[in-house]
Amino acid sequence: MLSIKLAWRNIWRNKRRTIITTLSIVVAVFLSAITRSSQEGQYDNMLENTVGTFSGYIQIHKQGYQDNPTLNNSLAINDSLYEVIKSDKNIRSIIPRIESYALVATGQQSRPAMIMGIDVEAEQELSQPQTKLQKGNYFSSNSEKGAIIGEKLRQRLNAQIGDSLVLIGQGYHSMNATGLYPIKGTVSFSNPEMNSSLVYLPLKTAQYLFSAQDRLTSIAIKLKTPTQLNATAKYLKSRLPTNDYEVLTWQKMMPELKQAIEVDRGGGIIILLVLYMVVGFGILGTVLMMIAERSYEFGVMLSVGTPRTTIAKILSFEILLMSLMGAGFGILFSIPVAWYFNVNPIDLSGAMASAVEQYNMAPILEFSTDPEIFTSQALIVFFITLLFSIIPILKAANLNPIDAMRS
Amino acid sequence: MQAIKKYCLATILFLFSCTFIIQAQNATDIVKKADKKIRGESSRAKITMKIIRPTWQREVSMKAWSLGTEYSLILVTAPARDQGTAYLKRDNEIWNWLPNINRTIKMPPSMMSQSWMGSDFSNNDLVEESSIVTDYNHTIAGDSTLSDYECYRIIMSPKPQAPVVWGKLISFISKQEYLQLRTEFYNEDGKLIKVMEGSQIENMNGRTIPTKMEMIPMDKKNQKTVLLYEDIAFNIDIAERFFSIQNLKNLD
């Protein structure tokens, strides 16, 4: 107890010294936490753009659809399938879809497009076409004859709202799939590729177009807590016959996205390691100086008979207290900054924005507020501080009292 | 001396090629007769096409008209949702009339090798740029019997400049009625790619023909396309202007 008391008093005996040491730790925690936060925020943004608002965290297909995504690999709708899915508590909404490709044309222009038959109600939960409408109106029923297309696609086709959109493609079992639908509205997504190639049709209309009545190519699932992803996927897999259905998490559906994130995270960690080194040696310098300053004091203490272990103990407590304070303040300062940029993401512009858009991401820099980032960074810096203090503490404890007092 | 030598060589070559031509003439005649038999100058037919796949099958009914080898027209009459769809072939171009979108589409070259209405026929098969009579050299390779019909086995190898994709064809043509009962299609490596078989030989409007044609691709199991001729009339009275894009929309 005495050594803790002494350590506490030693800290506040020279306030400037303490503040400098603590500040270097605070800055270290702050920098590493903000770096991680912006990185993870970017991944969240990426995921949110593709997984959270489009593909869903989990999808159920007919077995084999993932390898060969054609209408011939679509699944038939049945109630027991829905009941099984609904029985998991983590499931927020079930979004049925039928997807295929076709040529769309108006007048003289034609473009290849992704045709997506959507359940008018359920889709509002996931890709939210109703909030992304640029012009026109949303569908009113699942069998309505009309199409909502990407705003860029409309421009490329040189069409207006109300114009007829011609669809030419191939349906289930290679049936002819041709249809004529008025353009009801246009949507704009942050993903530029979707803007220029997506055509929404109401579910029943699309099923008729593709001669695939009561069939779906995929059932997307929105989760209440995305972190419980694997548990939910495991539950669904155990309840659905594996010969008929495949249950895929977003990592399985989009391995390239997962890999891109992992590669980028790896690069980020290297930068962080460099940061840790700089921080570590900075702290080493401060602590060394702090101890060198007090060598006369240690010499006196040793001369009057203080055991070397006690000196080491007092010094350790001093460092411990300072790094605790540093880590704590580091978290305190970084959270509001990260939170601010999480709520008000930085808008990218110019070349940077178009580069990001090429990766199908929204051109914004968003920060993550995942608490784990802050605690882990504080902990890491805390331990680095302790690690780099071992040498100065040992040095102080092993002082020769006469030399120490002379210098 | 030099001139005489040249002359001798030319004569010998000429004699050799003569014997070759005489032998080949025989086979070519057979192919010509068989071709004339199933084609005629013009024709009108009612056909049902069955597309058979391992897990499903479906039927398409149609009416077809043809004039020479240049013109043909096909109108889909069933299933109901495809009713009225029509295909027009003029020389080596195909147009597709789709009534529900009110449009005529010219098949782009990129689609020519794709399957026609999901069957084992490609759009290229419809165009039939090559002719078994003029684009191949024919030799009789022997006799064989196919479902009680005595047949000539004729090997057809494409002429050097002919627009042909096959390495060779082996055709079985019956000796009596000159019916093409079986044709094997080989690629340039000599691998068998698909087989066309004719069966159910019947008399239709005065002509004996196979009324069932099966196209069987060799590399896909349990998969084939069957054409059933319900009615066919040859040498009908039909004008060239019948085969126009305008007329596609007025067929019934």
Side-chain angles (χ1 to χ4, degrees):
Chain A
M1 273 322 284
L2 181 70
S3 21
I4 296 179
K5 212 178 216 170
L6 276 174
W8 182 249
R9 283 183 183 165
N10 275 336
I11 289 178
W12 296 112
R13 198 177 43 167
N14 189 336
K15 287 199 183 76
R16 202 175 54 183
R17 190 177 64 203
T18 309
I19 286 166
I20 288 169
T21 317
T22 317
L23 214 58
S24 73
I25 299 167
V26 170
V27 168
V29 172
F30 180 79
L31 283 181
S32 62
I34 289 296
T35 315
R36 288 286 294 143
S37 159
S38 76
Q39 247 190 343
E40 291 297 325
Q42 240 177 316
Y43 306 146
D44 287 348
N45 172 18
M46 235 152 127
L47 278 182
E48 199 50 34
N49 267 298
T50 49
V51 176
T53 65
F54 201 73
S55 66
Y57 282 86
I58 295 179
Q59 280 195 9
I60 295 171
H61 307 145
K62 189 194 166 168
Q63 188 57 253
Y65 178 80
Q66 176 73 1
D67 295 328
N68 188 10
T70 67
L71 283 169
N72 288 349
N73 272 334
S74 54
L75 57 87
I77 300 172
N78 64 56
D79 291 341
S80 66
L81 174 65
Y82 271 90
E83 253 152 49
V84 167
I85 301 172
K86 269 184 207 150
S87 68
D88 190 289
K89 286 190 190 68
N90 192 20
I91 281 167
R92 195 158 118 196
S93 42
I94 302 168
I95 300 103
R97 284 168 177 170
I98 183 161
E99 286 170 45
S100 189
Y101 292 87
L103 195 71
V104 297
T106 56
Q108 296 304 308
Q109 299 284 326
S110 66
R111 294 262 154 198
M114 183 179 150
I115 313 296
M116 203 158 121
I118 53 168
D119 186 293
V120 170
E121 286 292 313
E123 197 65 32
Q124 300 190 8
E125 296 269 322
L126 194 59
S127 66
Q128 302 174 331
Q130 81 284 7
T131 63
K132 286 164 181 144
L133 273 179
Q134 298 288 299
K135 292 179 181 154
N137 302 307
Y138 188 58
F139 300 123
S140 54
S141 85
N142 268 337
S143 47
E144 188 180 352
K145 286 209 151 202
I148 291 177
I149 66 175
E151 173 62 22
K152 256 207 193 107
L153 181 64
R154 183 194 68 79
Q155 288 166 10
R156 286 187 179 176
L157 289 170
N158 208 359
Q160 302 302 324
I161 302 292
D163 284 3
S164 285
L165 191 71
V166 174
L167 265 65
I168 305 162
Q170 216 170 41
Y172 185 53
H173 286 168
S174 312
M175 294 285 281
N176 269 338
T178 51
L180 195 65
Y181 305 101
I183 299 172
K184 267 211 98 183
T186 63
V187 280
S188 182
F189 286 97
S190 50
N191 179 331
E193 195 180 318
M194 272 161 52
N195 273 341
S196 57
S197 70
L198 187 73
V199 173
Y200 279 126
L201 289 179
L203 190 65
K204 290 252 160 65
T205 308
Q207 284 171 335
Y208 179 79
L209 169 71
F210 291 126
S211 320
Q213 274 83 359
D214 296 324
R215 299 190 80 84
L216 301 171
T217 53
S218 62
I219 299 175
I221 289 172
K222 200 169 178 180
L223 301 177
K224 283 178 189 149
T225 30
T227 42
Q228 290 295 307
L229 172 75
N230 287 324
T232 309
K234 211 172 159 190
Y235 171 82
L236 289 175
K237 266 182 204 162
S238 70
R239 293 288 309 273
L240 294 169
T242 42
N243 287 336
D244 300 341
Y245 302 106
E246 55 188 21
V247 177
L248 295 171
T249 57
W250 70 264
Q251 288 102 325
K252 284 259 174 65
M253 282 187 285
M254 283 170 279
E256 66 285 348
L257 180 63
K258 189 188 166 213
Q259 278 164 10
I261 289 178
E262 270 168 7
V263 166
D264 200 75
R265 194 176 269 152
I269 283 171
I270 290 173
I271 293 175
L272 275 183
L273 283 179
V274 174
L275 187 69
Y276 292 150
M277 291 297 279
V278 173
V279 167
F281 282 106
I283 289 167
L284 180 71
T286 344
V287 176
L288 264 180
M289 231 157 58
M290 175 183 114
I291 285 163
E293 226 180 28
R294 290 161 65 190
S295 69
Y296 185 80
E297 176 193 329
F298 295 136
V300 173
M301 283 172 81
L302 283 170
S303 311
V304 297
T306 321
R308 286 176 189 276
T309 48
T310 313
I311 290 180
K313 226 193 264 173
I314 292 168
L315 273 174
S316 306
F317 278 125
E318 279 177 44
I319 305 274
L320 194 69
L321 283 170
M322 279 191 290
S323 32
L324 267 178
M325 286 195 300
F329 280 115
I331 293 182
L332 277 185
F333 290 142
S334 53
I335 284 177
V337 175
W339 184 76
Y340 176 80
F341 285 116
N342 180 269
V343 179
N344 311 300
I346 302 169
D347 272 312
L348 299 176
S349 59
M352 184 77 175
S354 52
V356 172
E357 277 184 335
Q358 278 184 345
Y359 289 98
N360 294 335
M361 286 160 49
I364 51 167
L365 194 59
E366 199 185 292
F367 283 56
S368 167
T369 47
D370 185 356
E372 197 204 314
I373 294 170
F374 303 101
T375 48
S376 67
Q377 291 315 310
L379 270 177
I380 289 170
V381 174
F382 177 69
F383 281 112
I384 288 175
T385 314
L386 294 190
L387 191 75
F388 277 89
S389 321
I390 289 172
I391 301 163
I393 290 170
L394 287 179
K395 214 181 146 198
N398 288 325
L399 277 177
N400 182 329
I402 297 169
D403 289 345
M405 282 187 292
R406 265 204 196 121
S407 60
Chain B
M1 277 308 276
Q2 200 85 68
I4 295 169
K5 236 184 189 173
K6 240 183 193 170
Y7 176 77
C8 283
L9 200 71
T11 318
I12 292 164
L13 273 178
F14 177 73
L15 286 176
F16 262 115
S17 50
C18 271
T19 50
F20 188 71
I21 288 167
I22 288 162
Q23 206 196 18
Q25 196 61 50
N26 223 342
T28 307
D29 272 346
I30 295 167
V31 173
K32 236 180 221 167
K33 279 180 187 162
D35 191 55
K36 220 176 170 187
K37 180 110 196 179
I38 52 157
R39 207 182 292 279
E41 260 315 293
S42 58
S43 72
R44 177 175 54 219
K46 270 189 186 168
I47 306 166
T48 300
M49 180 167 76
K50 272 188 192 166
I51 299 163
I52 296 166
R53 294 289 179 271
T55 51
W56 54 273
Q57 69 175 71
R58 81 185 156 84
E59 274 183 31
V60 182
S61 301
M62 47 203 162
K63 289 181 183 172
W65 294 263
S66 80
L67 177 64
T69 52
E70 289 83 28
Y71 305 108
S72 68
L73 206 157
I74 296 167
L75 172 73
V76 177
T77 54
R81 60 169 289 143
D82 283 336
Q83 195 181 356
T85 304
Y87 294 85
L88 169 69
K89 178 213 150 186
R90 287 172 71 94
D91 294 324
N92 40 32
E93 287 172 339
I94 301 178
W95 280 273
N96 181 198
W97 161 250
L98 296 158
N100 63 343
I101 56 170
N102 207 18
R103 280 207 172 200
T104 311
I105 301 162
K106 183 171 179 285
M107 289 281 168
S110 60
M111 270 180 77
M112 289 310 275
S113 60
Q114 284 181 14
S115 114
W116 180 64
M117 300 211 302
S119 72
D120 292 304
F121 294 96
S122 68
N123 289 314
N124 260 329
D125 287 341
L126 296 188
V127 171
E128 246 184 307
E129 277 181 68
S130 64
S131 145
I132 55 166
V133 179
T134 57
D135 288 329
Y136 291 88
N137 290 315
H138 314 96
T139 42
I140 301 181
D143 297 339
S144 63
T145 312
L146 269 183
S147 51
D148 298 337
Y149 286 89
E150 287 281 304
C151 287
Y152 297 109
R153 187 163 164 270
I154 293 173
I155 297 180
M156 309 189 204
S157 39
K159 290 176 180 169
Q161 301 302 321
V164 170
V165 293
W166 303 107
K168 73 170 174 192
L169 308 182
I170 297 180
S171 197
F172 296 79
I173 297 174
S174 75
K175 284 183 177 175
Q176 281 196 335
E177 290 277 357
Y178 296 103
L179 303 171
Q180 243 181 306
L181 291 181
R182 180 183 166 94
T183 306
E184 294 168 354
F185 297 81
Y186 294 86
N187 70 4
E188 281 166 332
D189 303 325
K191 197 181 162 217
L192 182 59
I193 301 298
K194 58 181 186 179
V195 172
M196 196 156 90
E197 272 179 3
S199 57
Q200 289 183 11
I201 290 136
E202 277 170 37
N203 191 314
M204 252 178 201
N205 295 319
R207 207 180 272 210
T208 309
I209 49 156
T211 60
K212 183 182 178 186
M213 302 293 278
E214 284 175 285
M215 180 66 99
I216 308 160
M218 284 293 122
D219 54 341
K220 288 156 195 155
K221 268 201 160 175
N222 304 326
Q223 178 165 333
K224 64 181 175 183
T225 300
V226 183
L227 291 180
L228 292 168
Y229 287 88
E230 281 156 20
D231 183 40
I232 186 161
F234 292 100
N235 300 331
I236 54 161
D237 181 26
I238 198 164
E240 203 184 295
R241 65 165 189 278
F242 181 80
F243 300 92
S244 66
I245 295 170
Q246 204 51 50
N247 196 35
L248 276 180
K249 303 167 189 175
N250 307 321
L251 291 169
D252 63 336

